[in-house]
Amino acid sequence: MASYIAASIMCADQLHIADELEKLETANIDLLHCDVMDGNYVNNLAIGPEWLMAVKKATNIPLDIHLATIDPIKYVDMFAHVKPEYISFHVEVCEDVSEVIQRIRSYNIKPAIALNPETSLDTILPYLNEIEMVLMMTVNPGFAGQIFQKNVLVKLRRLRELLKDYAHAPLIEVDGNINETTIGQMSDCLPDVFVLGTSALFHKKDSQTYFERSTRIWSHAKR
């Protein structure tokens, strides 16, 4: 099973983003995880479409946009011109999940569903054949540096078991204090995509390069 590393761009040095992107490319990062926050669904604001378009032009790393917003269709339309690889939206805010999935696909973007730690896995089961990825939050969205919520492991194990019989199973992505320790807790149900932020990749006190850090995490995930 392949494992992929996504770098959480909100954790990078925003004053030196071009340098950060160059380092991430050198580290062979697979995806740039881009949190879009509207100040309503979560109590934070982050990443506008024009800034993200500038990032897109500055790197060859595919973008993985996570909409932590209400009214996801509004934001799908707003960010579609950036042409990310994935757009994920929260099942908690949707009246018509399939409509949002179809809107994302209409732009030739891969749809993904995100769910919070306390949200039942049952809410997304009807849509697993319609999406390309499940983003399982291991912290509540909005801020970096939170404590990994171990209750998510039960959902992760169940989802991995459910997907084993799918001919075209969506990827499983995890986001929220993902590091060597928390990955070790997922050893029996490893996800496909690990979002790395301040606790692993962008750790300013760690003198290792992004390449060394991501390789260390990737190797740990493959055990």
Side-chain angles (χ1 to χ4, degrees):
M1 180 180 67
S3 295
Y4 303 97
I5 298 293
S8 178
I9 199 66
M10 70 178 285
C11 299
D13 184 344
Q14 303 300 300
L15 290 179
H16 302 92
I17 195 63
D19 291 339
E20 295 282 65
L21 291 172
E22 184 176 350
K23 292 174 184 176
L24 293 171
E25 286 193 353
T26 301
N28 295 321
I29 295 298
D30 299 294
L31 294 167
L32 287 182
H33 187 78
C34 311
D35 290 297
V36 173
M37 298 180 279
D38 63 358
N40 289 304
Y41 183 62
V42 295
N43 191 27
N44 200 357
L45 291 168
I47 303 187
E50 298 313 312
W51 185 87
L52 202 51
M53 177 58 82
V55 168
K56 170 80 172 181
K57 291 177 179 178
T59 183
N60 292 319
I61 304 174
L63 305 186
D64 168 30
I65 294 179
H66 168 208
L67 300 179
T69 69
I70 60 173
D71 194 1
I73 283 184
K74 170 185 174 181
Y75 287 89
V76 169
D77 292 342
M78 190 181 298
F79 283 84
H81 74 285
V82 180
K83 299 188 182 303
E85 186 82 3
Y86 297 94
I87 291 181
S88 60
F89 63 95
H90 276 266
V91 67
E92 297 90 353
V93 301
C94 286
E95 293 183 4
D96 190 337
V97 173
S98 290
E99 180 185 13
V100 183
I101 292 171
Q102 291 167 11
R103 182 63 68 92
I104 295 170
R105 283 205 183 276
S106 73
Y107 290 110
N108 293 316
I109 299 167
K110 296 173 183 176
I113 293 180
L115 69 164
N116 290 332
E118 71 276 6
T119 302
S120 170
L121 193 60
D122 292 338
T123 60
I124 69 167
L125 297 186
Y127 312 105
L128 291 178
N129 280 315
E130 301 179 38
I131 59 176
E132 301 296 328
M133 188 161 65
V134 175
L135 170 55
M136 194 167 288
M137 297 299 301
T138 52
V139 302
N140 289 313
F143 295 90
Q146 299 181 63
I147 296 173
F148 180 88
Q149 297 193 28
K150 294 183 180 180
N151 61 299
V152 178
L153 296 173
V154 176
K155 289 195 298 184
L156 184 56
R157 292 186 187 102
R158 182 184 173 206
L159 181 58
R160 179 58 75 197
E161 181 67 20
L162 286 170
L163 293 180
K164 71 179 184 179
D165 295 325
Y166 276 62
H168 179 65
L171 299 176
I172 302 175
E173 181 177 38
V174 288
D175 180 15
N177 200 8
I178 303 302
N179 52 48
E180 288 170 278
T181 299
T182 55
I183 288 174
Q185 297 173 25
M186 299 181 253
S187 60
D188 61 339
C189 53
L190 279 177
D192 305 291
V193 185
F194 300 91
V195 178
L196 302 186
T198 51
S199 70
L201 188 62
F202 299 100
H203 185 47
K204 298 299 186 282
K205 294 181 180 179
D206 188 340
S207 62
Q208 291 180 306
T209 66
Y210 291 170
F211 177 79
E212 291 170 323
R213 292 177 214 161
S214 62
T215 299
R216 183 184 65 207
I217 294 290
W218 186 88
S219 299
H220 194 81
K222 295 293 287 183
R223 290 178 184 172

